[in-house]
Amino acid sequence: FTFSAGAEKSNQVATITATSGSIQKSIPITITGTTLSLTSTKSSLLAGAGDSTTLTVKAIDANGDPVPSADLTLTSSLGDDITAGATTASSVTVTTNTSGLATATLTALSTPGTDTITVSGLGTQKTLAINVTNAQFGFNSPAQDSTLAVNTSEDLVVTWTDAAGAPVTGKTLTFTANNGNFGGASSTTAVTDSTAQATVTNT
């Protein structure tokens, strides 16, 4: 006789049993080939700031074809929020679409560290590490894509904190503009103060 895995997409062990009267013999056959992939739009998130990233899961079978309508579980090792549909928890279930894809949103809470995201289902699993940190280096103001009128000036404020959330003070930052200037120069420097901020004026 010939045994086939058929339409079943889960990795598993099938037990084949032959029986004749009171005599019986069984052998295990491993069914494998289905794999999961897990990707994120960000590799690092800022703790306690509502920072989030999109997680994308893909399920494919041994032939490289998508596995639709598969229920998969996403879990955060740090207990960060994962949102799928109307559900937000540290562990949620997503269902793949006709392309074998499912998405969810991961939002970092207040605990820094390495958040290991695990997706499991179909008899297999995949993990992805996301760095959750208190470190911050970026502009407080102005807001991204803001507009500055001609012949006006605006303060640019940068904040720099380390991975523990402590201010990085006394460090020199260099600001460079491809348009406008800093007191007539295309670049200038400023030193972070006790609040971890450095400020320059762009005109």
Side-chain angles (χ1 to χ4, degrees):
F1 65 91
T2 299
F3 172 75
S4 172
E8 177 57 57
K9 301 296 185 180
S10 295
N11 295 336
Q12 58 187 292
V13 176
T15 301
I16 309 301
T17 303
T19 303
S20 178
S22 61
I23 301 173
Q24 188 178 85
K25 183 67 175 179
S26 298
I27 59 170
I29 296 180
T30 300
I31 300 173
T32 187
T34 293
T35 59
L36 300 175
S37 64
L38 177 60
T39 59
S40 169
T41 53
K42 295 181 182 179
S43 61
S44 182
L45 296 176
L46 186 61
D51 200 10
S52 62
T53 182
T54 299
L55 303 174
T56 302
V57 181
K58 186 173 185 179
I60 59 173
D61 64 16
N63 294 320
D65 295 324
V67 181
S69 303
D71 290 333
L72 307 173
T73 301
L74 282 163
T75 304
S76 160
S77 65
L78 284 183
D80 287 326
D81 282 344
I82 303 176
T83 301
T87 302
T88 297
S90 60
S91 181
V92 300
T93 299
V94 294
T95 302
T96 57
N97 61 17
T98 55
S99 298
L101 297 171
T103 60
T105 301
L106 173 70
T107 303
L109 300 182
S110 59
T111 304
T114 299
D115 193 357
T116 300
I117 308 301
T118 302
V119 57
S120 57
L122 296 171
T124 187
Q125 67 176 30
K126 187 73 174 180
T127 61
L128 176 69
I130 302 291
N131 182 41
V132 179
T133 178
N134 283 327
Q136 180 181 6
F137 183 79
F139 285 93
N140 289 63
S141 63
Q144 184 173 339
D145 298 325
S146 60
T147 300
L148 177 63
V150 175
N151 296 323
T152 60
S153 61
E154 185 169 15
D155 286 343
L156 309 179
V157 183
V158 169
T159 297
W160 186 1
T161 57
D162 64 19
V168 177
T169 62
K171 297 296 184 180
T172 300
L173 304 182
T174 300
F175 295 79
T176 303
N178 64 356
N179 196 3
N181 61 78
F182 306 96
S186 61
S187 67
T188 189
T189 61
V191 178
T192 54
D193 60 20
S194 60
T195 65
Q197 292 187 342
T199 303
V200 297
T201 301
N202 178 256
T203 58

